[in-house]
Amino acid sequence: MHELMIDLDDSLRKPLYRQIYDYIRSHIADGKISCGEKLPSTRLLAAHLQISRSTVSLAYEQLLSEGYLEARRGSGYYASDISELYVGGRTPKKPLRKAKWDGQRLDSACGVEQKYRIVFSPEENDFSQFPYAAWRKLSRELLAVDDPTLFQAGEAAGELTLREAICTYLYHARGVNCTPDQLIIGAGNEYLLMLLMQILGGKRKVAMENPTYRNAYGTLAQMGCDMVLTGMDANGMKTEEIKRHDPDIVYTMPSHQFPTGIVMPLKRRLELLSWAMERPGRYIIEDDYDSEFRYKGKPIPSLQGNDAHGTVIYIGTFSKSISPSIRVSYMALPDALLRAYHANCGFYASTVPKEQQNILAAFLKQGYFERHLNKMRRIYKAKHDLFLSLLKKESWVQKIYGDYAGMHLLVEVKTQKSAARIVDQAKANGVRAYDLEEYRIFGTKRREGAPTLLLGYGALEEDAMREGISILRRVVREENDN
Amino acid sequence: MHELMIDLDDSLRKPLYRQIYDYIRSHIADGKISCGEKLPSTRLLAAHLQISRSTVSLAYEQLLSEGYLEARRGSGYYASDISELYVGGRTPKKPLRKAKWDGQRLDSACGVEQKYRIVFSPEENDFSQFPYAAWRKLSRELLAVDDPTLFQAGEAAGELTLREAICTYLYHARGVNCTPDQLIIGAGNEYLLMLLMQILGGKRKVAMENPTYRNAYGTLAQMGCDMVLTGMDANGMKTEEIKRHDPDIVYTMPSHQFPTGIVMPLKRRLELLSWAMERPGRYIIEDDYDSEFRYKGKPIPSLQGNDAHGTVIYIGTFSKSISPSIRVSYMALPDALLRAYHANCGFYASTVPKEQQNILAAFLKQGYFERHLNKMRRIYKAKHDLFLSLLKKESWVQKIYGDYAGMHLLVEVKTQKSAARIVDQAKANGVRAYDLEEYRIFGTKRREGAPTLLLGYGALEEDAMREGISILRRVVREENDN
C-alpha cells in the first residue's frame, strides 16, 4: 500500500478535499504512485489526517470519476494505468477537466491561476484605473437617504432607469435598435441564456462557432439544447455549414469572435440574417461581449442594428467594460420573444440587486462610464501596441492575429513542439499561457496548422510582458526532452 | 366557419392575446366550438377585432401548441378533437402552462399593486427600520480602499467569507448541518432552483404542496420537471399521496408552509426522510423562506438538521430577513449533489456581485444581522398581535389561522359571497386583499369550506390596518348585487 504524505494546510483557500485530490492526482501523473499500487482506505486516510471521512471520500470519488483511481469491490482503491488515458487521444491534463466546458473561466473563478507568477489571461482586466472615487460617491449618494423603496422588490426586467441608460448607450455606441421595454437585465450572460432558453421553450438546436466561449456552450448544453458546431473561415461562421446542420438558433460573436478575433463582414452578416428569415422560429444570438475595445478603424456596429425582422437576440455585458464581479449583463429581445418572456418568465424577479442597478444607472447617466471606457480603451490600446511590438521582435513568433481589438493576441509559434507542451513547460516556469485549442469544444477535431498560443495582456504591465515573453522564448527553444 | 364573438377589454391587465386565447380555449373545452369546426384566419380575426395580426397569431400559436387547434396546410385553423386530450389522462386545464404562476409576485414585481391605497401583501416587508447607517458604513468601509481584487471575478459558489458567515448563522439559528463547501450562493431562490435542476440533470418528477409558493412551481415547470401536487392535512404534506405519485423530489416548506402556515411535526418529517431514503436519487427540497419569524414557542429547527443520509437540499433567502431587493439566497447541497455541481455546473460564475457579498458578510459577521433580525421579529410580532386582536373583534371573521409566524394571516369569512368576489369589491374600494385560492396551482380543484382571505400585515401601520379591515367589513356585509 502506498503511504500518502499529505501535508494539509487549513489556512489555504483551497478546500481540504481538493488538496488531497491534487496531491494524489499529481503523484499518479508523475508516476510517484505507480499503476496498480493500492491506496489507503478512506477510513484509514481520514484517521491519519485527522479529518472527516467524507472529505477523503469526496477526493477519492473525483479521482475515480476522472480515471486516476479504480475501485475494486471488497478490496479498495488502486492507482489506474494512466498511460491509457493518453493513448485515448486526450492530453494528460484534459481528463482533469470535469466536464466539457470547465476551462479557464473555472480556473480563474477558483483562483487556481493565482499560483502562476505571470498569467496571460484573456479574462483578466486592469482594475488599477477603475474610478473608485466616482463609484464610492455614487454609492454614498444612493445610500445617503434612508430610502425604503431601495429595499422593496424591483422591476422584473431590471430597473427602468438602468434599462434607459443602457438603451441610449447601445444605440450610440453599438447601433443597437431597441427600446428599454425590450431589454432584460440579468446577473451575467449565463443567467440570461438560461432565461432565454425558457423563453424560447422546448429543446432547440443551436449552432455555435468552434473554438468559442465555452461557458455559453456549457450553459446551452445544460439547458438541454442540441448543440452543433460550425467551422469558420476568414469571414467567420460558414453559412453553408449552418445550412447543413439546420439549427433553430445560431450563436455568434460577429464583432469580435472569441477567441479567434475574426470580424464578420457585412456580406456574411446579411447571409446570416437571410438564413434566419427563411423560416419562422429561427433566431440569431449575438454575443457582443467586448466590442467596446477596438483600437483601429471605426467600431463595428452590431448585427442587431441590421436586423429588420426581429430575428436577432442581442446580449451584452459590463464584465469587460467595468468588471466581471459586478455581474450585470443585458439582453435585447425581438417583439415576439418579448411577449413570450412576459407570458412565461415574467414572474422571475430580477437577479441583480436594486442597489447595484441604481449605482450603475447613475454611473452611465452621469457620464462616468463613457469617460471610463475611453480611458480604458486608451490604456488597453497602449498595452496592445506595446505587447504587439514586443512579440514582433521575437524570431520564434511566426504570425500574430486577432490584433487591434480585445485584450488578447493569437500567436503562431515556429516550433516542432505542440502548443500544449509549450503551455505545460511555461507553467513549470511560473507562466500561464493558453493553447488556442483549450477553447475548442471538447472532443472536436483539432485545427491543423502551426501551434497557436492565446496570450492575454489586459492585466499585465510592461515588466511582466517582457518577462513572460522571455520565458516563452526559452521554453519554445528548449529541447523537447526537457 | 365559427364566428368568434370576443369582447376585448383594453383596460384589463390580461394581455389581448391572452383574452383571445382564453375565449377560444374555453369555447372549445365547453364544446361551443366543436371538433373540426373551422376558425377565422388570423388576418380576418385581427381585422374584425381591430388589433394587430401578430396578437391573434400569438393566441393561435399557443392554442396550436397546446392541442386545442390544428393547422391544415393551405386551409386554416380547426378546432381539435379534445376528447382525446382528456382520455390521455390529462385534465382539461393541464395544457395551460402559461397562467399557472402569474400571481401576486408578478403583480408586485411590476408595481401593479401600487394603484391600491392599502395592500395586504404577504410579500411586502417593513423597511422603515432597516439599519441604513450600518449598511452605509460597511459599504463605505469596503470601498474606502482602491482595491482591485474587489473587481476581479469572484468564487463560483460565492465568496468564502459569506459562505462561512451563513453557515454559522444556519447552524445556530436553524440547526442546519453543513460546511461552507456545501453552500452555493445565488441571486434568488428561482436562480438556485434553475441551477439545482441542472445539477440533478434530466427530467425529474417533483411533488409540491398545493396551495404553495407559485414561483417555485413555475421555475420547476419551466425547467422541464414533471410536476405533481399533493394535498395537506393539519401536519402538512400527506405522505401517502407522495407515495402514490412516486416523485423523485419533494419540495416542501416544513417550518412554515406558504401560504397555509402549517408547521410539519417531527413524525411527519421523519416519514418524509424515510421516504427519501427508500430509493437512491430521491431528494427533499426544504424551502426555509421565513422561519426566522416565529412569535410563539421555540423556533422549529430545519428538516435538514434531521437528515443523516444526505437527502435534503436546504434553500434559504435574505429576502424576508433583509430585503427582496438584495437578491441573495443560498442552498446547502448534500455531498453527492455537491460533486455533481462541481462536475457539471462549476463553470457558472456566481450571480451575486462581489461587493454585495462582502457587505453582507460583514453585516453578518459584525453582528448587525442578528440585531436587525431580533428587532424585526419584535416589530413584526407587535404588528401580528395588533392585527390579530383587531380581526378577532370582527363578527364577520369566522376563524383565523396561520398565526404566530410569518407576515400574514388566513381569515375564514362568514358570508355567502365567494372570496374572489370580496377581493374584487375590496379592490374597487382601493384595498388589495388576497383570496387563498390565488395561491392554488392553476387548474386544480378548489378547496372546500368557508371563503378564506390571505391578509399580509408586514408593511402596514395601525391606521392602514384599521382602515383596511373596515373596508373589508363593509364589503363582506354589502349585498351581493352591489
Side-chain angles (χ1 to χ4, degrees):
Chain A
M1 173 153 14
H2 193 92
E3 276 258 31
L4 300 179
M5 313 289 284
I6 305 180
D7 225 342
L8 293 179
D9 184 349
D10 277 316
S11 71
L12 283 178
R13 269 184 51 230
K14 199 192 274 187
L16 293 179
Y17 88 89
R18 182 80 207 193
Q19 295 182 44
I20 298 169
Y21 161 87
D22 281 348
Y23 177 94
I24 298 176
R25 184 186 53 70
S26 63
H27 279 63
I28 292 176
D30 294 342
K32 288 179 196 144
I33 303 176
S34 46
C35 163
E37 221 173 330
K38 186 175 180 176
L39 273 83
S41 70
T42 54
R43 189 186 299 274
L44 258 175
L45 186 56
H48 173 67
L49 296 172
Q50 297 185 289
I51 58 173
S52 99
R53 196 175 162 195
S54 65
T55 304
V56 178
S57 298
L58 190 59
Y60 274 34
E61 294 223 6
Q62 194 168 335
L63 291 161
L64 281 168
S65 71
E66 293 169 3
Y68 285 93
L69 292 187
E70 286 170 9
R72 297 185 195 156
R73 194 176 291 267
S75 166
Y77 297 96
Y78 294 82
S80 305
D81 181 1
I82 51 159
S83 65
E84 287 189 316
L85 294 177
Y86 306 162
V87 175
R90 293 189 279 179
T91 61
K93 301 275 166 164
K94 267 283 162 67
L96 304 189
R97 298 282 142 105
K98 282 169 227 143
K100 289 175 188 156
W101 49 82
D102 63 347
Q104 84 296 343
R105 169 66 76 96
L106 182 57
D107 285 354
S108 61
C110 297
V112 174
E113 303 288 24
Q114 286 174 8
K115 65 184 172 199
Y116 303 110
R117 210 165 59 253
I118 298 166
V119 180
F120 285 110
S121 167
E123 305 254 338
E124 278 181 44
N125 313 9
D126 183 350
F127 300 113
S128 64
Q129 302 298 317
F130 187 78
Y132 294 94
W135 196 263
R136 259 197 297 274
K137 172 177 162 280
L138 296 173
S139 165
R140 212 165 41 223
E141 283 172 3
L142 182 73
L143 292 170
V145 205
D146 293 3
D147 177 10
T149 65
L150 188 61
F151 289 93
Q152 284 163 6
E155 292 176 77
E159 297 303 295
L160 181 60
T161 173
L162 179 57
R163 285 185 283 124
E164 283 169 349
I166 293 174
C167 253
T168 306
Y169 164 69
L170 288 178
Y171 178 73
H172 290 109
R174 308 290 311 122
V176 171
N177 189 6
C178 76
T179 65
D181 279 350
Q182 284 173 268
L183 275 186
I184 319 282
I185 290 164
N189 283 27
E190 282 72 50
Y191 172 73
L192 288 176
L193 288 177
M194 289 182 202
L195 193 62
L196 179 60
M197 286 304 132
Q198 295 177 51
I199 293 169
L200 287 162
K203 304 241 171 200
R204 300 288 176 140
K205 189 171 183 179
V206 182
M208 282 186 87
E209 294 143 348
N210 189 23
T212 186
Y213 177 53
R214 303 206 311 172
N215 281 4
Y217 181 92
T219 307
L220 296 169
Q222 286 279 38
M223 292 300 288
C225 293
D226 182 11
M227 304 301 294
V228 292
L229 297 164
T230 68
M232 288 177 279
D233 58 23
N235 295 331
M237 258 182 145
K238 293 185 186 166
T239 356
E240 67 271 28
E241 284 197 29
I242 294 173
K243 286 179 180 165
R244 205 172 58 233
H245 284 305
D246 194 25
D248 307 301
I249 290 161
V250 163
Y251 184 106
T252 184
M253 295 172 271
S255 297
H256 187 228
Q257 206 272 339
F258 183 86
T260 62
I262 293 172
V263 176
M264 194 183 282
L266 188 62
K267 183 163 176 295
R268 182 66 55 89
R269 289 174 184 230
L270 295 177
E271 281 171 27
L272 256 189
L273 288 170
S274 73
W275 165 84
M277 283 184 324
E278 271 169 23
R279 201 169 64 204
R282 281 186 178 168
Y283 290 100
I284 300 165
I285 302 174
E286 176 179 20
D287 178 358
D288 200 33
Y289 69 107
D290 82 342
S291 48
E292 289 87 358
F293 299 107
R294 273 211 83 70
Y295 314 125
K296 195 181 182 179
K298 279 193 201 166
I300 294 137
S302 68
L303 178 63
Q304 198 266 7
N306 284 320
D307 172 31
H309 296 84
T311 61
V312 175
I313 298 147
Y314 177 91
I315 297 185
T317 175
F318 290 104
S319 288
K320 300 283 174 185
S321 55
I322 296 184
S323 119
S325 78
I326 73 162
R327 310 308 302 140
V328 184
S329 292
Y330 41 85
M331 169 165 76
L333 291 175
D335 279 345
L337 295 183
L338 193 62
R339 285 191 293 270
Y341 162 74
H342 287 298
N344 300 329
C345 297
F347 72 95
Y348 287 126
S350 171
T351 43
V352 183
K354 214 181 196 177
E355 195 179 325
Q356 184 89 334
Q357 293 191 56
N358 282 313
I359 294 174
L360 185 55
F363 193 73
L364 268 80
K365 288 193 169 179
Q366 296 180 29
Y368 292 109
F369 181 65
E370 195 185 325
R371 285 198 293 278
H372 173 59
L373 210 51
N374 290 332
K375 181 174 162 191
M376 293 316 293
R377 199 182 288 118
R378 273 202 318 277
I379 290 171
Y380 289 130
K381 180 179 188 309
K383 289 188 186 222
H384 165 272
D385 293 352
L386 171 65
F387 194 49
L388 190 62
S389 73
L390 292 174
L391 284 170
K392 279 185 173 167
K393 288 182 203 147
E394 298 294 315
S395 60
W396 53 276
V397 169
Q398 183 163 300
K399 196 180 151 195
I400 298 170
Y401 56 106
D403 43 351
Y404 298 108
M407 294 164 206
H408 72 268
L409 296 175
L410 294 173
V411 177
E412 274 187 17
V413 182
K414 243 179 274 180
T415 176
Q416 297 304 313
K417 287 185 185 177
S418 70
R421 179 99 178 109
I422 296 170
V423 167
D424 280 347
Q425 291 181 331
K427 277 182 179 176
N429 286 284
V431 172
R432 179 67 168 109
Y434 298 81
D435 177 0
L436 176 57
E437 295 299 310
E438 294 182 46
Y439 298 88
R440 186 169 297 281
I441 298 304
F442 186 80
T444 57
K445 210 177 130 214
R446 293 176 72 86
R447 187 179 133 274
E448 285 168 21
T452 304
L453 298 178
L454 181 152
L455 301 176
Y457 53 81
L460 299 180
E461 298 303 328
E462 178 166 355
D463 287 353
M465 287 182 194
R466 286 185 185 275
E467 189 187 344
I469 289 175
S470 87
I471 289 169
L472 288 176
R473 182 194 313 130
R474 214 174 62 219
V475 160
V476 170
R477 288 183 180 161
E478 265 169 0
E479 290 304 316
N480 259 329
D481 55 3
N482 181 306
Chain B
M1 175 154 10
H2 194 93
E3 275 259 34
L4 300 179
M5 313 289 284
I6 306 179
D7 224 342
L8 293 178
D9 184 348
D10 279 314
S11 71
L12 283 177
R13 264 185 54 229
K14 200 191 274 186
L16 293 179
Y17 89 88
R18 181 81 210 190
Q19 294 181 44
I20 298 168
Y21 161 87
D22 281 349
Y23 177 94
I24 298 175
R25 184 189 51 70
S26 64
H27 279 63
I28 292 176
D30 293 342
K32 287 178 198 147
I33 304 177
S34 44
C35 162
E37 221 173 329
K38 186 174 180 178
L39 273 81
S41 70
T42 54
R43 191 185 298 275
L44 256 175
L45 186 56
H48 172 67
L49 295 172
Q50 298 184 288
I51 57 174
S52 97
R53 195 173 162 195
S54 65
T55 304
V56 178
S57 297
L58 190 60
Y60 275 33
E61 287 206 22
Q62 194 168 337
L63 291 160
L64 281 167
S65 71
E66 293 169 4
Y68 285 94
L69 292 187
E70 286 168 9
R72 297 185 196 157
R73 196 176 290 267
S75 166
Y77 297 96
Y78 294 83
S80 303
D81 181 0
I82 51 158
S83 65
E84 288 187 317
L85 293 178
Y86 305 161
V87 176
R90 293 192 280 178
T91 61
K93 303 276 169 157
K94 264 281 164 64
L96 309 182
R97 313 263 312 176
K98 301 212 172 138
K100 283 175 189 155
W101 49 82
D102 60 354
Q104 83 296 340
R105 169 64 77 98
L106 182 57
D107 286 353
S108 59
C110 298
V112 174
E113 303 288 25
Q114 286 172 8
K115 66 184 172 197
Y116 303 110
R117 209 166 60 251
I118 298 166
V119 180
F120 284 111
S121 166
E123 305 253 340
E124 280 181 43
N125 313 8
D126 184 347
F127 300 113
S128 63
Q129 302 297 316
F130 186 79
Y132 294 94
W135 197 263
R136 259 196 298 272
K137 174 177 160 281
L138 296 173
S139 166
R140 211 165 43 223
E141 282 172 4
L142 182 73
L143 292 170
V145 205
D146 292 3
D147 177 9
T149 64
L150 188 61
F151 288 93
Q152 283 162 6
E155 293 176 74
E159 297 303 294
L160 181 60
T161 173
L162 179 56
R163 286 185 283 124
E164 284 169 347
I166 292 173
C167 252
T168 307
Y169 164 69
L170 289 179
Y171 178 74
H172 290 109
R174 308 291 312 122
V176 171
N177 189 7
C178 75
T179 65
D181 278 351
Q182 285 173 268
L183 274 187
I184 318 283
I185 290 165
N189 283 27
E190 282 74 50
Y191 172 73
L192 288 176
L193 288 177
M194 289 181 202
L195 194 63
L196 179 60
M197 286 305 133
Q198 294 177 51
I199 293 169
L200 287 163
K203 304 241 170 201
R204 300 288 177 141
K205 190 170 182 179
V206 182
M208 282 187 88
E209 295 144 347
N210 190 24
T212 187
Y213 177 53
R214 303 209 309 175
N215 281 4
Y217 182 94
T219 307
L220 296 169
Q222 287 280 41
M223 292 300 288
C225 294
D226 181 11
M227 304 301 294
V228 292
L229 298 163
T230 68
M232 289 176 278
D233 58 22
N235 296 331
M237 259 183 143
K238 292 183 187 167
T239 354
E240 67 272 27
E241 285 198 28
I242 294 174
K243 287 179 180 165
R244 206 172 58 233
H245 284 304
D246 194 27
D248 307 301
I249 289 159
V250 163
Y251 184 106
T252 183
M253 295 172 269
S255 299
H256 188 228
Q257 205 272 340
F258 183 84
T260 64
I262 293 172
V263 175
M264 194 183 280
L266 188 62
K267 185 164 176 294
R268 183 64 56 88
R269 291 174 182 230
L270 296 177
E271 282 172 26
L272 257 189
L273 288 171
S274 72
W275 165 84
M277 285 183 323
E278 271 168 23
R279 202 170 64 203
R282 280 185 179 168
Y283 289 100
I284 300 164
I285 302 175
E286 176 179 20
D287 178 359
D288 200 34
Y289 69 107
D290 82 341
S291 49
E292 289 87 358
F293 299 107
R294 274 211 83 70
Y295 315 125
K296 196 181 178 179
K298 281 193 200 165
I300 294 137
S302 68
L303 178 63
Q304 199 267 8
N306 283 320
D307 172 31
H309 297 83
T311 60
V312 175
I313 298 146
Y314 177 91
I315 297 184
T317 175
F318 290 104
S319 289
K320 299 284 176 185
S321 54
I322 296 184
S323 118
S325 78
I326 73 163
R327 310 308 302 143
V328 184
S329 292
Y330 41 84
M331 169 165 77
L333 291 176
D335 279 345
L337 295 183
L338 193 61
R339 287 190 291 271
Y341 162 75
H342 287 296
N344 300 325
C345 297
F347 72 94
Y348 287 126
S350 172
T351 43
V352 183
K354 214 182 199 179
E355 194 180 326
Q356 184 88 334
Q357 293 191 55
N358 282 314
I359 295 175
L360 186 55
F363 194 73
L364 267 80
K365 288 194 170 176
Q366 297 180 26
Y368 293 109
F369 180 64
E370 194 186 327
R371 285 199 293 279
H372 173 59
L373 210 51
N374 290 334
K375 181 174 161 189
M376 293 316 292
R377 199 183 286 118
R378 274 203 316 278
I379 289 171
Y380 289 130
K381 180 179 188 309
K383 289 191 186 220
H384 164 272
D385 292 352
L386 171 64
F387 193 51
L388 190 62
S389 74
L390 292 175
L391 284 170
K392 279 184 171 167
K393 286 181 202 148
E394 299 294 314
S395 61
W396 53 276
V397 171
Q398 184 165 298
K399 197 181 150 193
I400 298 168
Y401 58 105
D403 43 352
Y404 297 109
M407 293 164 207
H408 72 268
L409 296 174
L410 294 173
V411 177
E412 274 187 18
V413 182
K414 241 179 273 178
T415 175
Q416 297 303 313
K417 288 185 184 176
S418 70
R421 179 99 177 110
I422 296 170
V423 167
D424 280 347
Q425 292 181 331
K427 278 181 180 176
N429 286 282
V431 171
R432 179 66 168 109
Y434 297 81
D435 176 359
L436 176 57
E437 295 299 311
E438 292 181 47
Y439 298 88
R440 186 168 298 280
I441 299 303
F442 187 79
T444 58
K445 211 177 127 214
R446 294 177 70 86
R447 186 180 134 275
E448 284 169 24
T452 304
L453 298 177
L454 181 152
L455 301 176
Y457 53 82
L460 299 180
E461 299 301 329
E462 179 166 356
D463 285 355
M465 287 182 193
R466 286 186 184 273
E467 190 187 342
I469 289 175
S470 88
I471 289 169
L472 287 175
R473 183 194 310 132
R474 215 173 62 218
V475 160
V476 170
R477 287 185 180 158
E478 266 169 358
E479 290 304 316
N480 260 329
D481 54 6
N482 180 311

